[in-house]
Amino acid sequence: MAKKNEKIEYVKNGKRVDGRKVDELRPIKMEVGVLPNADGSAYLEWGQNKVLVGVHGPKEALPKHKQNPYKGLVRFVYRMATFSVPDRKNPRPGRREVEISKVSGEALEKAIFLENFPNCAIDVYLEIFDSNAGSRAAGITAASLAIADAGIPMKDLVCAVGVGKAGGEIILDLNKTEEDAPDAVDIPIAIMPRTKEITLLQMDGLFTKAEWKKASKLAFEGCDQLKKMQEEALRKKFDTAEKKK
Amino acid sequence: MAKKNEKIEYVKNGKRVDGRKVDELRPIKMEVGVLPNADGSAYLEWGQNKVLVGVHGPKEALPKHKQNPYKGLVRFVYRMATFSVPDRKNPRPGRREVEISKVSGEALEKAIFLENFPNCAIDVYLEIFDSNAGSRAAGITAASLAIADAGIPMKDLVCAVGVGKAGGEIILDLNKTEEDAPDAVDIPIAIMPRTKEITLLQMDGLFTKAEWKKASKLAFEGCDQLKKMQEEALRKKFDTAEKKK
Amino acid sequence: MAKKNEKIEYVKNGKRVDGRKVDELRPIKMEVGVLPNADGSAYLEWGQNKVLVGVHGPKEALPKHKQNPYKGLVRFVYRMATFSVPDRKNPRPGRREVEISKVSGEALEKAIFLENFPNCAIDVYLEIFDSNAGSRAAGITAASLAIADAGIPMKDLVCAVGVGKAGGEIILDLNKTEEDAPDAVDIPIAIMPRTKEITLLQMDGLFTKAEWKKASKLAFEGCDQLKKMQEEALRKKFDTAEKKK
Amino acid sequence: MENILWNVKTDKVLSLIKEGKRADERKLDEYRSISITKNISENADGSAKVKLGDTEVYAGVKMMPGTPYPDNPDQGTISVGAELMPLASPEFEVGPPREKAIELARVVDRCIRESKTVDFKSLCVREGELVWIVFIDTYVSNYDGNAFDATSIAALAALNLVQIPKLEDDKIVKGEYTGKLKISKQPLLSTVAKIGGKLVSDPTLVEEKAMEARFSCGTVDDTIMCAFQKGEAGSFTVEEIDECIDRSFKNSKEIRKLV
Amino acid sequence: MENILWNVKTDKVLSLIKEGKRADERKLDEYRSISITKNISENADGSAKVKLGDTEVYAGVKMMPGTPYPDNPDQGTISVGAELMPLASPEFEVGPPREKAIELARVVDRCIRESKTVDFKSLCVREGELVWIVFIDTYVSNYDGNAFDATSIAALAALNLVQIPKLEDDKIVKGEYTGKLKISKQPLLSTVAKIGGKLVSDPTLVEEKAMEARFSCGTVDDTIMCAFQKGEAGSFTVEEIDECIDRSFKNSKEIRKLV
Amino acid sequence: MENILWNVKTDKVLSLIKEGKRADERKLDEYRSISITKNISENADGSAKVKLGDTEVYAGVKMMPGTPYPDNPDQGTISVGAELMPLASPEFEVGPPREKAIELARVVDRCIRESKTVDFKSLCVREGELVWIVFIDTYVSNYDGNAFDATSIAALAALNLVQIPKLEDDKIVKGEYTGKLKISKQPLLSTVAKIGGKLVSDPTLVEEKAMEARFSCGTVDDTIMCAFQKGEAGSFTVEEIDECIDRSFKNSKEIRKLV
């Protein structure tokens, strides 16, 4: 962790603290269909972040009084393993996990043909086993894959990424050192790339509108890259499945 | 707060520490119909105490196995805001709040024609935003108003007041300084004034029967005053409603 | 409590620290039918351990989705009173109590004709009021009596005892001093004596297979003694009931 | 479910009480027999079991060192817990204490606390740093009415037996004691149920099912009261309360001889 | 249960909004009237009640001494709580805060925290040992939509009134204060609902029932933003977000005059 | 719901096992293949993922400074947690650990603790003041039976990799370590299911659905046992237990080579 009073140059000769360009994502690895007992699943490594997602459903939503007769529910559970953070996390879910679960589920709803599944629930369970800034974006990106893997009809994949500021520079996909900058701004954003719709948007820090304009452009570009990786991961699973036949 | 070892004269020349007479209530302000979304509501200031009450119902009692086929239920929730007391209160309800909720609900039941509402519940929610001795009496007095405001048929209003002892004197409506007297006795009491029935009675402290005789007389007199104020508050709301027509 | 570094001879001239022989049980007192409101009950003193058990049922298992249409459920609740241990126990049940409840219930199931009670539950509630090693064995032994007292048909009584090692010696029914030996091994075991079936078996400590052979033999002998006491206690209750007629 | 059976039973109770009679032939102001078993747990610092008719309560006390409240740096305190065990009645559930058990614990706590029978200053070990907390935990193991009085008797009986543990380096030395805890008064609750308009002392479970209201009065001795608690949906007149108070003095005087 | 009634109401809202109109005759970017009552609790160190149309929020602040986080030994902190009171709507339940209330509290917390309006270093009493924790607790007592803005206004109004309690031996001296807490900026949330494809500021309850998505933007002043929060299942285009941001600057500028 | 499907499957398992066969063609005393992935989390002080057939468990260890128990002022301790993730099976629920997960955690804890593979005295930093607590947390991410063995293997594999964090002023210096935690023994659980009267090692989920009883034996090496746990409603004869013990020694010997 960067000492907050230390003077760091967050971009020097076009390179960031970890050698990336301002619009460059950390290394990402995606794998689909990793959990035999889930209807759909994905494992994603994004820099140091490691995310496992499983999807159960669509299935009847219980208890009954929570059912919606017009469309299915997305119930998203985001959790962090005790050992996934620098200090041991309390095993009980905290308020941060509750909020992230809520907005992450909302970020996925629009991409799913929920009207096909009245009275049903789609349960998305996500566990972070290692983290270093950007775990909610990694989670949404992985969850979108797992939902597709479950064969649930979708209008588009959902891609999510962090964008923001460190040392006065607008950069894509902040890592922990950058998030700890004295002037850091962190903006997790989820996008349906085909229609360019934003389904998650949060912000921490002090930011001007001009900076936002620059940052949002970076975010859309990053999500285009992510979508290609997602498609590649789904294709790979499909090819493997074909070969097994 | 009075230091417990300090020698205080709790009644001097017929005047108490805050200038009141022994049988005098603190200044009280009552307002009815303050919450648009509740079926009935009241806001009450009693000395420094500030109480907001809302009533929902009568409505079907759920879960079903809690229903009583012969009469309605009163479900009373007494809560204190974190900032309503000298030290910050834990936001989670404590055992004191649970007990007060129970006895306050019981104090109101007899005044309501509950037999008119089989299988139903009347939910009374009360929040104390500021306090200084006597919040449960203030709460019951306000709740009775809110129930009347909800148009629920009642045999009588319920009035509640604290009565007790400080510095050897039997006094009406103790404030915090008096409650902190070394020999303090605090007796919250709720009364249906028309029939002179006691529906709540608790006591803390050391007291003789002779003292109780004197105290109970003060309490009945205090409740007669309260009833007049309650009726005035209800009339005011009715008048205002009439004028709007 | 024995200091762990102190050199204790756990068996000296054939006698243990409390004067017992290696295969001798502590003094045991059993009484059946002690709780008027329970369908069956028992009170048991075993050395310093004091156990009260009550049984309710068989009755319809609720909530309904927990019902098994083929056989009844045993729901076992093991709890320790706050004052039953050297340090005050937190009134909330801990993980130890949850585990003991689970395995104790499982230890009793095979002895009961549960197939006679589809969709039903047999609730066993047990409270330890005083303890000194061996409370779960005492509890299972007492619970078996209470179930018999409730008139629930059983294939056999269940007897349970602790067996293990202290100071290198294989001994029956360890007390607290023995359980605190540096090399202590504690093996709670439950047996259906007629068919010699083991229905509970746990172990803490370092043990060889040869030692287990010796220990299991001791356990079976101990359970034979326990069964006689259980039968005696049931007979006594039956005789008393007869006399009252 | 069992409503019909209870209705038959409570109808019977009501018709008897209207004639001034009770199912168990007691007078309206009469208590059931009381038996007290002392020292029911060696791990407790004081303990007792009380039977009031078929109502049975176990009580145990543990003294634990703790830090004082900032407001009262020279005082220890007491804490009363009450559990209505699922054992005691098919109506009680497993789980965290419900409002009934919380009310029971708090009323018994107030009766002991306000009587000042335990001198909180005597519980101070080192001002501002270390005081004794006297945990009094009670368990209703068979419920046949009047848990208030039975629990109050059990708590007091256990308290009367408390030995103060020895401290070394501010930690308890297991099994060693420095003397008895001083209990200067004998506060007890005494409860009256109002049934069919009559006042009935020490109600049984079926009487409680028939009662409109309940009033408990704690007394310290023959003249001083230390607690009131009215419960349930019914009401009392002030004359009825006065009668309840008189009975409490009378009945607790008798019970005090047994504790 | 009430679905049919709500459907009728939301259909009405939708058809009005398609014509650029609202049931209460406001313009799409217009706020309801706001009234602020200051000092609603003497026990609080600062407090206020805010009415935004029929949405009502009580807020109170308590400053409490505590130990700093090891990472920031020279800094105090703030904590924001939010409760959707059962009073406020028949749809809210008694019990621990659900995800709606948790989201509300956390977004209001971020808006204040990230604005740096409270200098956490100024909350340090003794580095590594004692700092102030500023507890801002809010209660929605009547819910007619847009709890985010109403709660943010109430929290800021209460914060602006906070007096710092006097400390003696690291304990608070009740009723004595050493001065006002310095609040250097006036951060406020401003929320837009997307309804039938249109952007609608300060939505009422029935408008929220009809909305697809919600976006709140926190602003510190006329040029700096300090928080975003998008909610609900719908989406926004980047152009819509830009429009929401512009409205937030404009609307919060007006509200800032009242706080 | 799925009962009928399970009944068909377990009937099949039972009829196969009566002939000494298994659905996956294993022998009755044979394990599924095991694969171990080390260091699956950089934030953990040691971590591993284990696959036992299709049963998958993540384990991570965090060492945290804490205060010792008064009884053992010169000893640290371990703590084992286990979570049956909702991911792992549609039958597992979100929420606090149920009795199944608690039993799993406690048995794995006892197997490690009683083996004395971690010397608790070596975890002491300053007697009576500061010791290490070794938190071993495990997550079952896909459940196809025999969580006991898979979790025990994962916990041990993670423990074998633990680096001791550097302390400065009694606080952890992030990312710096002073050496490896000494693990002197390799305790492992080995589980046998009794199905149709036969003993079946390393049961799959469908075999567990058909089993009457389960017995797990922890072994430290080729001659010493450190834990027993019998589970489920069925019973074992003492001869069957002896056979289970023999198998545990044999099977754990093989697994020990992989960890």
Side-chain angles (χ1 to χ4, degrees), chain F residues 83-117:
Chain F
E83 202 175 309
L84 298 169
M85 297 168 72
L87 283 178
S89 160
E91 293 177 18
F92 298 157
E93 288 164 51
V94 185
R98 317 273 168 195
E99 52 174 22
K100 266 185 128 167
I102 290 173
E103 185 191 16
L104 173 57
R106 285 179 56 85
V107 175
V108 173
D109 183 304
R110 284 202 291 272
C111 179
I112 296 170
R113 181 184 301 270
E114 299 295 335
S115 75
K116 301 186 170 56
T117 183

Side-chain angles (χ1 to χ4, degrees), chain A residues 2 10 12 20 46-47 51 69 75 80 104 113 126 141 160 162 167 175 180 184 195 242:
Chain A
Y10 288 89
K12 201 171 158 180
R20 281 185 290 155
W46 182 323
V51 185
R75 298 188 296 203
M80 299 196 90
S104 298
F113 285 97
L126 188 150
T141 304
N175 68 16
D180 288 337
T195 50
E242 282 296 295

